[in-house]
Amino acid sequence: HEGNIYVKKGYAEKYPCVVAHMDTVHDIESNLSIVEFDGALTGFNRHTMTQIGIGGDDKVGVFICLEVLKHTDNIKVVFFRDEEAGCIGSNLADKAFFEDCYYVLEFDRRGNADFVIDANGVQLSTKAFQQAILPYVHKYGYSYSLGGGTDVQALKIIGIKCSMANMSCGYYNPHLDNEYVIIEDVMNTLNLALELIENITESYDFE
């Protein structure tokens, strides 16, 4: 649908939903090698012998969504196109797909500590949702924050009712040649997502 990929696994009355975007600002490099230093991943161009971006924004989000899909019995997942070009895919999202979702979690934020509840002035979730998940947010070292534009903001604007959030997921220096990914931070985000999905099974809708 409009270049987005929609996945539903299992059969339930309602589902948690996780999303990420498939595009990156970096060029596709045939000479790209991934190099690890003490748990950090970065990109290296074998031809020019220089550091280059690895697309952690938002390959990390795609990885986390795939892991959630693998480890969760009843789940919905969306991979959006062209977020970097202005959230094109999410602005054209199939709204009916989200009608039976408890909430939407996105993994498209640099760092390791931001749990974004407001994106460019757009409120993403209810106070009740924030209160319900707060123990898990704190357990994994996150705190509520403001963030920039991304797909969950677009979903809210087009009228999808469920509470949403965007989460730091372990990539750093997005859009730059010295972008890198901290594996420990990625796994921490994944574990937070899995614990939320296991324990938060109520809807917190608003328009």
Side-chain angles (χ1 to χ4, degrees):
H1 183 272
E2 302 290 351
N4 302 319
I5 298 173
Y6 296 85
V7 183
K8 183 179 79 169
K9 177 185 177 184
Y11 297 93
E13 290 187 12
K14 301 205 77 169
Y15 299 82
C17 180
V18 294
V19 305
H21 67 85
M22 297 179 286
D23 60 319
T24 178
V25 300
H26 299 294
D27 294 333
I28 304 301
E29 292 280 357
S30 60
N31 293 306
L32 172 65
S33 292
I34 305 302
V35 182
E36 180 180 350
F37 298 98
D38 297 327
L41 304 175
T42 191
F44 195 76
N45 187 314
R46 300 186 302 274
H47 178 69
T48 62
M49 299 299 287
T50 56
Q51 189 178 1
I52 55 175
I54 59 173
D57 175 10
D58 196 24
K59 290 178 184 177
V60 170
V62 171
F63 167 78
I64 292 173
C65 285
L66 290 173
E67 288 295 300
V68 168
L69 180 62
K70 182 166 67 175
H71 293 289
T72 308
D73 291 334
N74 300 304
I75 187 74
K76 284 191 167 187
V77 184
V78 186
F79 301 100
F80 289 113
R81 72 171 177 95
D82 294 331
E83 187 268 354
E84 301 289 6
C87 297
I88 294 173
S90 47
N91 274 303
L92 298 171
D94 178 7
K95 293 197 286 187
F97 184 83
F98 299 92
E99 289 178 354
D100 56 358
C101 291
Y102 288 119
Y103 45 81
V104 179
L105 302 177
E106 182 169 20
F107 313 101
D108 184 29
R109 175 76 171 174
R110 64 183 176 274
N112 64 0
D114 291 344
F115 200 98
V116 178
I117 57 174
D118 181 298
N120 274 354
V122 175
Q123 181 185 348
L124 299 177
S125 59
T126 66
K127 297 296 184 183
F129 177 76
Q130 296 164 26
Q131 187 71 23
I133 68 174
L134 187 60
Y136 308 100
V137 171
H138 284 171
K139 176 181 176 180
Y140 287 89
Y142 282 74
S143 58
Y144 292 140
S145 68
L146 310 180
T150 190
D151 292 312
V152 285
Q153 175 200 8
L155 295 180
K156 260 292 157 218
I157 290 172
I158 66 172
I160 293 169
K161 295 180 180 180
C162 58
S163 284
M164 305 179 190
N166 186 26
M167 301 159 63
S168 291
C169 57
Y171 64 73
Y172 296 80
N173 298 337
H175 300 193
L176 301 176
D177 287 343
N178 63 341
E179 180 187 30
Y180 63 96
V181 172
I182 302 295
I183 297 171
E184 182 179 4
D185 294 343
V186 176
M187 299 311 296
N188 187 63
T189 308
L190 171 60
N191 289 330
L192 169 56
L194 290 172
E195 192 156 345
L196 287 174
I197 289 166
E198 181 180 357
N199 290 282
I200 306 300
T201 55
E202 293 184 40
S203 296
Y204 299 89
D205 292 351
F206 74 106
E207 292 186 73

